[in-house]
Amino acid sequence: IDYNTQDKSLPLLLTHELIHVHQMHVGFLKMKPDGSCYWRNVYYTNKRPEEMTHEEYMKLPWEMDAYNNQNSVLRQALQLLDK
């Protein structure tokens, strides 16, 4: 999380992070205490995000999933609030 994020970006940032919570809750994303990460039960990496290049980080399947879905999830949530 970038702590310098503008206030108007917070809903999207929180949506992105809640997608990660959902990924963990349903078992798609598993992060072990030793740092190893599994995506859909397949070992993926044990590199911490700060050890990766931006390109490596953006290619993580759980990040790609969160970025690909964050706008539609936020839009759906906002529509529910309008009802």
Side-chain angles (χ1 to χ4, degrees):
I1 296 175
D2 180 358
Y3 294 102
N4 295 316
T5 300
Q6 300 292 323
D7 288 348
K8 66 182 180 180
S9 300
L10 286 176
L12 192 60
L13 182 145
L14 292 173
T15 301
H16 180 97
E17 296 307 322
L18 286 171
I19 290 171
H20 290 316
V21 171
H22 173 74
Q23 292 166 339
M24 290 181 195
H25 177 73
V26 299
F28 290 169
L29 176 58
K30 295 177 185 167
M31 297 180 163
K32 305 291 182 177
D34 68 357
S36 57
C37 297
Y38 294 79
W39 178 247
R40 297 183 180 238
N41 294 319
V42 175
Y43 172 78
Y44 199 81
T45 187
N46 68 345
K47 277 177 105 174
R48 298 181 52 78
E50 56 270 13
E51 298 169 339
M52 298 179 187
T53 65
H54 181 72
E55 183 177 278
E56 289 173 318
Y57 181 77
M58 295 303 290
K59 287 183 178 179
L60 294 170
W62 51 91
E63 289 300 332
M64 290 172 37
D65 180 64
Y67 278 107
N68 287 338
N69 291 298
Q70 65 188 16
N71 288 316
S72 65
V73 170
L74 178 58
R75 189 170 33 259
Q76 290 171 25
L78 293 173
Q79 286 173 348
L80 288 172
L81 291 174
D82 283 341
K83 290 185 176 183

